[in-house]
Each structure stands twice: as structure tokens, then as C-alpha cells.
Amino acid sequence: MQLIPMPLGPINPEVEHLAVGAVLFGSLYVFVRRMIFRVNRVLEERATILEGVTGGPAAELRREAERIRAEREATLAEARHEAARTRQQAREQGAVLIAAARADGLRERDEILTAGQATIVTERASTEAELRSQVPELASVLASRIVGEPLPTATASGR
């Protein structure tokens, strides 16, 4: 069956072909329209991203984040510098304390050595005096052992 009842040739389509063509065109239109919406959405997202990279609220946030990061790095650098200064002061104070302790130790050592030498001199003198008083008696005992007979003990005044 033809749409127009005149013999127009290929220009006069049949109704069935026209119906199939209309259904195919409608389904293709719906499919392309959905694809165009998706493409438009992707293009809008891309534009938003590009706007964020080049300017807009995201760029302002990025600049703010960079400023805060720079402030934080400056604060950290200052804290590191302060820590280094504190360590240096602690080293200097430690060196002063070590030098003072060393000086105290040397002073105490010298005092102990002086006291020990004085004690040695005193004990040596007393021991020497004690031995000098016993020399004649010890000499008599030694001589009697050598001779083999008892000898009279000599006194220090009898020399």
C-alpha cells in the first residue's frame, strides 16, 4: 500500500517502510540525544576542572593552601633554628660544667695527693725514729746469731 495513490516511483514510499523508518529514526534520535547529554555533561565537568586549575574557587583554595604551607614551613624552619640554638647553648653549658667538674676533680686530687704525701712523710719520720731506737737491739740479735753466742744488748746511749 502506498501513501499517495499515484504512481510517483521511488518518491512514493510504502506505509510499512515509512512506519519502520519512523520507529528507527525515533530510537536513533533518543539514543543520540542521550549520548549528547552525556557528552555535554563531560564537557561541563571538563570546563569546571579547567576553571579550577586556571582560576575560580579551587584556585583561591589552592593559593590559600600554598600560603598556609609557606607559613607552616617558615614556622618549622624557625623551630628548627631555635632547636639548634638551644642545642648549642646546652653544649656550651655542658662544656662549662665539665670544665668546672674537671677543675674540682683536679683540685681534690691535688689536695688528696698533698695530704697523702704529708701523711707519708709523717709516718716515715715516726717509723724511722722507731727503727733508730731499735737498731742497737736488732744489731745485737743479729751479731749473736752470726757468732752463735748470746751477746749483751747494746743501748743507744752506750755507743
Side-chain angles (χ1 to χ4, degrees):
M1 168 164 152
Q2 295 194 348
L3 188 59
I4 302 173
M6 295 172 52
L8 296 174
I11 299 178
N12 193 5
E14 294 183 16
V15 176
E16 298 89 23
H17 292 189
L18 203 56
V20 169
V23 169
L24 289 176
F25 177 78
S27 63
L28 185 63
Y29 177 78
V30 168
F31 177 74
V32 170
R33 186 171 179 190
R34 283 187 180 177
M35 291 303 292
I36 288 176
F37 282 138
R38 287 183 185 174
V39 169
N40 282 339
R41 190 173 21 165
V42 169
L43 289 176
E44 287 174 3
E45 288 176 7
R46 181 175 175 230
T48 304
I49 291 172
L50 288 176
E51 179 183 318
V53 170
T54 58
E60 290 176 20
L61 289 174
R62 180 175 288 116
R63 284 191 293 273
E64 180 69 17
E66 289 293 326
R67 184 187 61 78
I68 291 171
R69 185 180 61 82
E71 288 176 3
R72 189 190 81 226
E73 286 178 0
T75 304
L76 286 175
E78 184 179 330
R80 286 184 191 116
H81 184 67
E82 183 65 29
R85 193 174 326 123
T86 302
R87 282 192 304 268
Q88 183 62 30
Q89 288 175 353
R91 282 188 197 113
E92 291 170 0
Q93 290 175 356
V96 167
L97 291 175
I98 288 172
R102 185 173 287 141
D104 286 345
L106 290 174
R107 183 183 44 77
E108 287 179 19
R109 181 198 68 181
D110 291 342
E111 289 174 3
I112 291 171
L113 286 176
T114 304
Q117 288 173 348
T119 305
I120 289 173
V121 167
T122 305
E123 287 181 7
R124 183 176 181 188
S126 69
T127 305
E128 227 176 271
E130 186 181 327
L131 284 176
R132 284 192 191 272
S133 68
Q134 293 178 0
V135 166
E137 182 183 328
L138 290 174
S140 296
V141 171
L142 184 59
S144 40
R145 281 189 185 167
I146 292 174
V147 173
E149 299 178 7
L151 296 174
T153 305
T155 61
S157 60
R159 250 185 169 180

